[in-house]
C-alpha cells in the first residue's frame, strides 16, 4: 500500500466516523470542516492538526 492510499483510507475512515465533515490532508497538515472545502480558504470553525490522530481527537471533542 502506498502513502497516498494510506491517506485516502484515513480520510475515508474519518468521513464515516464523522458524517457531515469533510477531511483532507494537504502538505502533511490535516484539515476538517463541516460541508465542502473549496481549497482556497478554510471556513470559520474549520479544524487543523499536525496528524490524523490529532484531528480525530478534535473531531471527537466536537461530537460531545
Amino acid at each position: 500500500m502506498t502513502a497516498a492510499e494510506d491517506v485516502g483510507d484515513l480520510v475515508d475512515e474519518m468521513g464515516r466516523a464523522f458524517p457531515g465533515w469533510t477531511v483532507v490532508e494537504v502538505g502533511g497538515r490535516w484539515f476538517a470542516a463541516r460541508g465542502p472545502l473549496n481549497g482556497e480558504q478554510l471556513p470559520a470553525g474549520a479544524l487543523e492538526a499536525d496528524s490524523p490522530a490529532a484531528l480525530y481527537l478534535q473531531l471527537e471533542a466536537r461530537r460531545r
Side-chain angles (χ1 to χ4, degrees):
M1 186 172 280
T2 67
E5 289 171 326
D6 288 343
V7 167
D9 288 346
L10 287 169
V11 166
D12 290 344
E13 183 179 325
M14 283 196 264
R16 285 189 300 274
F18 303 100
W21 286 87
T22 300
V23 176
V24 296
E25 181 272 335
V26 178
R29 300 283 300 160
W30 288 79
F31 304 91
R34 291 200 182 272
L37 290 169
N38 66 15
E40 294 182 20
Q41 183 175 337
L42 291 174
L47 306 175
E48 182 177 352
D50 292 326
S51 70
L55 184 62
Y56 191 97
L57 291 173
Q58 288 183 48
L59 288 164
E60 186 65 37
R62 293 280 177 111
R63 184 178 358 219
R64 297 178 190 171

